[in-house]
Short mmCIF file of all heavy atoms in Angstrom, two decimals:
data_model
loop_
_atom_site.label_atom_id
_atom_site.label_comp_id
_atom_site.label_asym_id
_atom_site.label_seq_id
_atom_site.Cartn_x
_atom_site.Cartn_y
_atom_site.Cartn_z
N ASP A 1 -7.72 11.01 3.53
CA ASP A 1 -7.62 10.67 2.12
C ASP A 1 -6.43 9.77 1.81
O ASP A 1 -6.16 9.47 0.65
CB ASP A 1 -7.57 11.94 1.26
CG ASP A 1 -6.31 12.77 1.50
OD1 ASP A 1 -5.57 12.48 2.47
OD2 ASP A 1 -6.07 13.70 0.72
N GLN A 2 -5.71 9.33 2.83
CA GLN A 2 -4.56 8.45 2.62
C GLN A 2 -4.86 7.04 3.10
O GLN A 2 -5.33 6.84 4.22
CB GLN A 2 -3.32 8.97 3.34
CG GLN A 2 -2.10 8.10 3.11
CD GLN A 2 -0.83 8.77 3.54
OE1 GLN A 2 -0.51 9.86 3.07
NE2 GLN A 2 -0.08 8.14 4.43
N VAL A 3 -4.60 6.06 2.25
CA VAL A 3 -4.81 4.65 2.57
C VAL A 3 -3.47 3.95 2.50
O VAL A 3 -2.84 3.92 1.44
CB VAL A 3 -5.81 3.98 1.60
CG1 VAL A 3 -6.02 2.52 1.98
CG2 VAL A 3 -7.12 4.73 1.55
N GLU A 4 -3.01 3.42 3.63
CA GLU A 4 -1.77 2.64 3.64
C GLU A 4 -2.15 1.17 3.69
O GLU A 4 -3.06 0.77 4.40
CB GLU A 4 -0.92 3.00 4.86
CG GLU A 4 -0.40 4.42 4.83
CD GLU A 4 0.49 4.73 6.02
OE1 GLU A 4 1.08 3.80 6.61
OE2 GLU A 4 0.59 5.91 6.37
N PHE A 5 -1.42 0.36 2.92
CA PHE A 5 -1.66 -1.07 2.93
C PHE A 5 -0.30 -1.75 3.03
O PHE A 5 0.71 -1.24 2.55
CB PHE A 5 -2.44 -1.54 1.69
CG PHE A 5 -1.85 -1.08 0.38
CD1 PHE A 5 -0.99 -1.89 -0.32
CD2 PHE A 5 -2.16 0.17 -0.14
CE1 PHE A 5 -0.44 -1.47 -1.53
CE2 PHE A 5 -1.64 0.60 -1.33
CZ PHE A 5 -0.77 -0.23 -2.04
N GLY A 6 -0.27 -2.90 3.72
CA GLY A 6 1.00 -3.56 3.91
C GLY A 6 0.86 -5.06 4.08
O GLY A 6 -0.20 -5.57 4.44
N LEU A 7 1.98 -5.73 3.81
CA LEU A 7 2.07 -7.17 3.95
C LEU A 7 3.27 -7.52 4.81
O LEU A 7 4.35 -6.94 4.63
CB LEU A 7 2.28 -7.84 2.58
CG LEU A 7 1.12 -7.91 1.64
CD1 LEU A 7 1.59 -8.38 0.27
CD2 LEU A 7 0.07 -8.86 2.18
N TYR A 8 3.08 -8.44 5.74
CA TYR A 8 4.18 -9.00 6.52
C TYR A 8 4.16 -10.50 6.26
O TYR A 8 3.12 -11.14 6.39
CB TYR A 8 4.00 -8.73 8.01
CG TYR A 8 4.94 -9.55 8.86
CD1 TYR A 8 6.25 -9.14 9.06
CD2 TYR A 8 4.53 -10.75 9.43
CE1 TYR A 8 7.12 -9.91 9.81
CE2 TYR A 8 5.39 -11.53 10.19
CZ TYR A 8 6.68 -11.10 10.37
OH TYR A 8 7.56 -11.86 11.11
N GLU A 9 5.30 -11.03 5.85
CA GLU A 9 5.41 -12.47 5.58
C GLU A 9 6.63 -13.02 6.30
O GLU A 9 7.69 -12.40 6.28
CB GLU A 9 5.55 -12.72 4.08
CG GLU A 9 4.42 -12.16 3.27
CD GLU A 9 4.76 -12.02 1.81
OE1 GLU A 9 5.77 -11.39 1.48
OE2 GLU A 9 4.00 -12.56 1.00
N SER A 10 6.48 -14.17 6.90
CA SER A 10 7.59 -14.88 7.52
C SER A 10 7.53 -16.33 7.04
O SER A 10 6.55 -17.03 7.28
CB SER A 10 7.49 -14.83 9.04
OG SER A 10 8.55 -15.56 9.62
N VAL A 11 8.58 -16.74 6.32
CA VAL A 11 8.65 -18.09 5.79
C VAL A 11 9.94 -18.72 6.31
O VAL A 11 11.03 -18.23 6.03
CB VAL A 11 8.64 -18.10 4.24
CG1 VAL A 11 8.75 -19.51 3.71
CG2 VAL A 11 7.40 -17.41 3.71
N ASP A 12 9.77 -19.79 7.08
CA ASP A 12 10.92 -20.50 7.66
C ASP A 12 11.92 -19.56 8.33
O ASP A 12 13.12 -19.67 8.15
CB ASP A 12 11.61 -21.35 6.59
CG ASP A 12 10.72 -22.46 6.07
OD1 ASP A 12 9.90 -22.97 6.86
OD2 ASP A 12 10.82 -22.80 4.87
N GLY A 13 11.38 -18.59 9.08
CA GLY A 13 12.22 -17.69 9.86
C GLY A 13 12.72 -16.46 9.12
O GLY A 13 13.32 -15.58 9.73
N GLU A 14 12.52 -16.36 7.83
CA GLU A 14 12.92 -15.17 7.09
C GLU A 14 11.70 -14.28 6.88
O GLU A 14 10.68 -14.72 6.37
CB GLU A 14 13.53 -15.56 5.74
CG GLU A 14 14.85 -16.28 5.91
CD GLU A 14 15.64 -16.32 4.62
OE1 GLU A 14 15.46 -15.43 3.76
OE2 GLU A 14 16.42 -17.26 4.47
N SER A 15 11.84 -13.01 7.28
CA SER A 15 10.71 -12.09 7.26
C SER A 15 10.87 -11.04 6.16
O SER A 15 11.98 -10.66 5.80
CB SER A 15 10.58 -11.37 8.60
OG SER A 15 10.36 -12.29 9.62
N ARG A 16 9.71 -10.56 5.71
CA ARG A 16 9.70 -9.50 4.70
C ARG A 16 8.48 -8.62 4.98
O ARG A 16 7.38 -9.12 5.20
CB ARG A 16 9.62 -10.10 3.31
CG ARG A 16 9.62 -9.06 2.21
CD ARG A 16 9.88 -9.67 0.87
NE ARG A 16 8.70 -10.38 0.39
CZ ARG A 16 8.50 -10.64 -0.89
NH1 ARG A 16 9.38 -10.31 -1.79
NH2 ARG A 16 7.40 -11.28 -1.26
N VAL A 17 8.70 -7.32 4.96
CA VAL A 17 7.62 -6.34 5.15
C VAL A 17 7.58 -5.44 3.92
O VAL A 17 8.62 -4.95 3.49
CB VAL A 17 7.85 -5.49 6.42
CG1 VAL A 17 6.77 -4.43 6.57
CG2 VAL A 17 7.93 -6.36 7.65
N ARG A 18 6.39 -5.27 3.37
CA ARG A 18 6.21 -4.37 2.23
C ARG A 18 4.99 -3.51 2.48
O ARG A 18 4.00 -3.98 3.04
CB ARG A 18 6.02 -5.17 0.94
CG ARG A 18 7.23 -6.03 0.62
CD ARG A 18 7.02 -6.89 -0.60
NE ARG A 18 6.04 -7.94 -0.29
CZ ARG A 18 5.32 -8.58 -1.19
NH1 ARG A 18 5.41 -8.27 -2.46
NH2 ARG A 18 4.48 -9.52 -0.84
N SER A 19 5.06 -2.25 2.06
CA SER A 19 3.89 -1.38 2.24
C SER A 19 3.79 -0.40 1.09
O SER A 19 4.77 -0.11 0.40
CB SER A 19 3.97 -0.64 3.57
OG SER A 19 5.09 0.21 3.60
N GLY A 20 2.57 0.08 0.90
CA GLY A 20 2.30 1.04 -0.16
C GLY A 20 1.26 2.05 0.28
O GLY A 20 0.65 1.91 1.33
N VAL A 21 1.07 3.06 -0.57
CA VAL A 21 0.14 4.15 -0.26
C VAL A 21 -0.76 4.41 -1.46
O VAL A 21 -0.30 4.40 -2.61
CB VAL A 21 0.91 5.44 0.10
CG1 VAL A 21 -0.03 6.62 0.28
CG2 VAL A 21 1.75 5.23 1.34
N ALA A 22 -2.02 4.64 -1.16
CA ALA A 22 -2.99 5.09 -2.16
C ALA A 22 -3.67 6.33 -1.61
O ALA A 22 -3.74 6.53 -0.40
CB ALA A 22 -4.01 4.00 -2.44
N ARG A 23 -4.13 7.16 -2.50
CA ARG A 23 -4.84 8.37 -2.10
C ARG A 23 -6.28 8.30 -2.58
O ARG A 23 -6.55 7.92 -3.70
CB ARG A 23 -4.18 9.60 -2.71
CG ARG A 23 -2.76 9.77 -2.26
CD ARG A 23 -2.59 11.07 -1.55
NE ARG A 23 -1.19 11.26 -1.20
CZ ARG A 23 -0.75 11.22 0.04
NH1 ARG A 23 -1.58 11.01 1.02
NH2 ARG A 23 0.52 11.39 0.31
N LEU A 24 -7.18 8.69 -1.69
CA LEU A 24 -8.60 8.73 -1.99
C LEU A 24 -8.98 10.16 -2.33
O LEU A 24 -8.66 11.09 -1.59
CB LEU A 24 -9.40 8.24 -0.78
CG LEU A 24 -10.91 8.36 -0.84
CD1 LEU A 24 -11.46 7.53 -2.00
CD2 LEU A 24 -11.52 7.91 0.47
N LYS A 25 -9.64 10.32 -3.46
CA LYS A 25 -10.15 11.64 -3.85
C LYS A 25 -11.65 11.64 -3.56
O LYS A 25 -12.44 11.14 -4.35
CB LYS A 25 -9.90 11.90 -5.33
CG LYS A 25 -8.43 11.96 -5.67
CD LYS A 25 -8.23 12.21 -7.15
CE LYS A 25 -6.76 12.26 -7.48
NZ LYS A 25 -6.54 12.42 -8.92
N PRO A 26 -12.05 12.15 -2.38
CA PRO A 26 -13.44 12.05 -1.94
C PRO A 26 -14.45 12.64 -2.92
O PRO A 26 -15.54 12.11 -3.11
CB PRO A 26 -13.47 12.81 -0.61
CG PRO A 26 -12.06 12.88 -0.16
CD PRO A 26 -11.22 12.84 -1.40
N GLU A 27 -14.08 13.73 -3.57
CA GLU A 27 -15.03 14.39 -4.47
C GLU A 27 -15.38 13.53 -5.68
O GLU A 27 -16.49 13.57 -6.19
CB GLU A 27 -14.52 15.76 -4.92
CG GLU A 27 -13.24 15.75 -5.75
CD GLU A 27 -11.95 15.57 -4.95
OE1 GLU A 27 -11.98 15.60 -3.71
OE2 GLU A 27 -10.90 15.37 -5.58
N SER A 28 -14.44 12.68 -6.14
CA SER A 28 -14.70 11.85 -7.31
C SER A 28 -14.86 10.36 -6.98
O SER A 28 -15.32 9.59 -7.81
CB SER A 28 -13.56 12.01 -8.32
OG SER A 28 -12.35 11.45 -7.79
N GLY A 29 -14.45 9.98 -5.76
CA GLY A 29 -14.50 8.57 -5.39
C GLY A 29 -13.39 7.74 -6.01
O GLY A 29 -13.40 6.53 -5.95
N GLU A 30 -12.40 8.41 -6.59
CA GLU A 30 -11.27 7.72 -7.23
C GLU A 30 -10.18 7.43 -6.20
O GLU A 30 -9.95 8.19 -5.28
CB GLU A 30 -10.67 8.57 -8.35
CG GLU A 30 -11.56 8.72 -9.56
CD GLU A 30 -11.70 7.44 -10.35
OE1 GLU A 30 -10.70 6.73 -10.54
OE2 GLU A 30 -12.83 7.15 -10.78
N VAL A 31 -9.51 6.29 -6.41
CA VAL A 31 -8.35 5.92 -5.61
C VAL A 31 -7.17 5.88 -6.57
O VAL A 31 -7.23 5.22 -7.61
CB VAL A 31 -8.54 4.55 -4.93
CG1 VAL A 31 -7.27 4.13 -4.21
CG2 VAL A 31 -9.71 4.59 -3.96
N THR A 32 -6.11 6.61 -6.24
CA THR A 32 -4.90 6.60 -7.07
C THR A 32 -3.73 6.13 -6.22
O THR A 32 -3.70 6.34 -5.01
CB THR A 32 -4.59 8.00 -7.64
OG1 THR A 32 -4.45 8.93 -6.56
CG2 THR A 32 -5.71 8.48 -8.55
N PHE A 33 -2.77 5.52 -6.87
CA PHE A 33 -1.59 5.02 -6.16
C PHE A 33 -0.46 6.03 -6.28
O PHE A 33 -0.38 6.78 -7.25
CB PHE A 33 -1.17 3.66 -6.73
CG PHE A 33 -2.22 2.61 -6.49
CD1 PHE A 33 -3.18 2.33 -7.46
CD2 PHE A 33 -2.28 1.94 -5.29
CE1 PHE A 33 -4.17 1.38 -7.24
CE2 PHE A 33 -3.27 1.00 -5.04
CZ PHE A 33 -4.21 0.72 -6.02
N ARG A 34 0.41 6.00 -5.29
CA ARG A 34 1.53 6.93 -5.24
C ARG A 34 2.42 6.77 -6.47
O ARG A 34 2.89 7.74 -7.04
CB ARG A 34 2.32 6.70 -3.95
CG ARG A 34 3.51 7.56 -3.74
CD ARG A 34 4.15 7.35 -2.40
NE ARG A 34 4.42 5.94 -2.14
CZ ARG A 34 4.84 5.47 -0.97
NH1 ARG A 34 5.01 6.29 0.04
NH2 ARG A 34 5.06 4.19 -0.80
N ASP A 35 2.64 5.51 -6.86
CA ASP A 35 3.46 5.23 -8.04
C ASP A 35 3.15 3.83 -8.55
O ASP A 35 2.31 3.12 -7.97
CB ASP A 35 4.95 5.38 -7.73
CG ASP A 35 5.42 4.54 -6.55
OD1 ASP A 35 4.85 3.45 -6.30
OD2 ASP A 35 6.37 4.96 -5.86
N GLU A 36 3.79 3.44 -9.63
CA GLU A 36 3.52 2.15 -10.24
C GLU A 36 3.90 0.99 -9.31
O GLU A 36 3.24 -0.05 -9.28
CB GLU A 36 4.29 2.03 -11.56
CG GLU A 36 3.88 0.83 -12.38
CD GLU A 36 4.54 0.82 -13.75
OE1 GLU A 36 4.50 1.87 -14.42
OE2 GLU A 36 5.06 -0.24 -14.12
#
């Protein structure tokens, strides 16, 4: 029920990694995010 998503970007040698989490509620089919 946990979905992790992330982005890795490298521009002219400078890198940035960002990730987030969403939760799947199988009984309702809803996806909610951990926070704003």
Side-chain angles (χ1 to χ4, degrees):
D1 65 349
Q2 182 167 303
V3 181
E4 294 182 25
F5 52 95
L7 287 170
Y8 167 82
E9 302 162 306
S10 178
V11 179
D12 295 328
E14 292 196 27
S15 299
R16 181 166 75 158
V17 177
R18 298 176 290 157
S19 63
V21 174
R23 299 241 184 249
L24 173 61
K25 296 180 180 177
E27 63 281 352
S28 67
E30 290 290 319
V31 175
T32 58
F33 296 94
R34 179 175 52 188
D35 55 30
E36 191 173 312

